[in-house]
Amino acid sequence: PLLDKESSSKLGDRVMGQMSELVSQFEVSSLYTQINYNNDIVRVTPLEYASGIKWLTNRKDGVKGYITVNSVSGKSELVKLQDGMKYMPSAMFNENLSRKLRFSYPTKIFGNASFEVDNEGKPYWIVPTLTYSSVELLEDVDGVVILDPVSGDSTYYDVKDVPTWVDQVYNPYLIISQFDDWGMYKNGFFNSIFGQKGV
């Protein structure tokens, strides 16, 4: 990919600025999740309600689209949806994404939600569920909730069963941390301090 998140954000804002009927009601989310979409590397981000008042006046139809930016060619476009997305971070009350997840999965610990689309362009929220182990409460991902922002339907998957089109299961910082720990402690804690063989 040639475009980083900041460059993609500028291109997405430019697309939004051309949509005069939407620009006063919605704003572009800063997520810009990088995904593999039909063998292209793209960043996708949803539109969000511009304020609580905008949510109130638009909640019947929901958020009507998301933006894609091709990370190689720079082509950006607003994809309009026939049915609007109602379960969003900027929505309020029972349509708020965090509240919807908490009521549906009261015992789960959630990581950061990412916005993705499947190979047909249908939008979803991808939310990893976390577990903590050992004395230091080391974080790991044990599953993923995939939530349809249009209908509010959601499904929980164990990590090994996550659909192949999902790209954002693990936070990159978590992967780096786990890899560093493996490299440091693979021959034991005391070896990491004294002998340091294979560290």
Side-chain angles (χ1 to χ4, degrees):
L2 302 176
L3 295 176
D4 59 8
K5 184 175 180 179
E6 185 177 345
S7 301
S8 299
S9 176
K10 289 177 181 176
L11 289 171
D13 288 345
R14 189 178 303 166
V15 170
M16 185 62 178
Q18 297 168 0
M19 306 294 172
S20 58
E21 73 278 9
L22 297 176
V23 74
S24 65
Q25 302 298 309
F26 303 98
E27 57 188 22
V28 182
S29 170
S30 61
L31 287 176
Y32 284 96
T33 308
Q34 184 168 289
I35 64 170
N36 182 338
Y37 177 59
N38 293 324
N39 297 322
D40 284 328
I41 298 173
V42 301
R43 288 189 182 269
V44 293
T45 194
L47 302 182
E48 290 275 14
Y49 298 109
S51 67
I53 297 297
K54 306 296 185 185
W55 169 77
L56 198 59
T57 57
N58 290 289
R59 67 181 293 259
K60 181 180 178 184
D61 295 326
V63 176
K64 286 298 218 172
Y66 59 86
I67 290 175
T68 65
V69 180
N70 189 302
S71 294
V72 178
S73 69
K75 179 184 177 185
S76 54
E77 62 180 326
L78 174 67
V79 178
K80 293 188 177 179
L81 300 170
Q82 184 174 356
D83 298 316
M85 299 180 287
K86 298 191 174 180
Y87 296 91
M88 305 294 290
S90 58
M92 300 179 74
F93 305 117
N94 288 341
E95 292 179 3
N96 177 268
L97 177 63
S98 297
R99 182 174 287 206
K100 175 68 175 172
L101 289 167
R102 180 54 54 217
F103 285 159
S104 300
Y105 304 92
T107 62
K108 296 291 184 187
I109 301 170
F110 297 111
N112 294 328
S114 61
F115 181 82
E116 293 192 34
V117 297
D118 65 13
N119 292 328
E120 285 72 49
K122 183 172 172 54
Y124 290 96
W125 289 108
I126 310 299
V127 189
T129 59
L130 307 177
T131 183
Y132 294 88
S133 61
S134 84
V135 177
E136 295 183 24
L137 296 178
L138 298 176
E139 182 180 299
D140 199 5
V141 175
D142 64 351
V144 171
V145 173
I146 299 179
L147 186 141
D148 183 337
V150 176
S151 67
D153 296 335
S154 62
T155 306
Y156 173 80
Y157 295 91
D158 286 330
V159 168
K160 65 183 186 305
D161 300 323
V162 174
T164 55
W165 60 265
V166 175
D167 290 294
Q168 298 286 327
V169 174
Y170 287 88
N171 181 316
Y173 299 107
L174 174 61
I175 296 222
I176 291 170
S177 172
Q178 290 180 342
F179 187 72
D180 286 346
D181 287 347
W182 176 83
M184 179 74 73
Y185 302 115
K186 66 179 180 176
N187 291 323
F189 174 74
F190 291 109
N191 178 67
S192 72
I193 297 174
F194 301 111
Q196 297 184 332
K197 291 183 179 178
V199 170

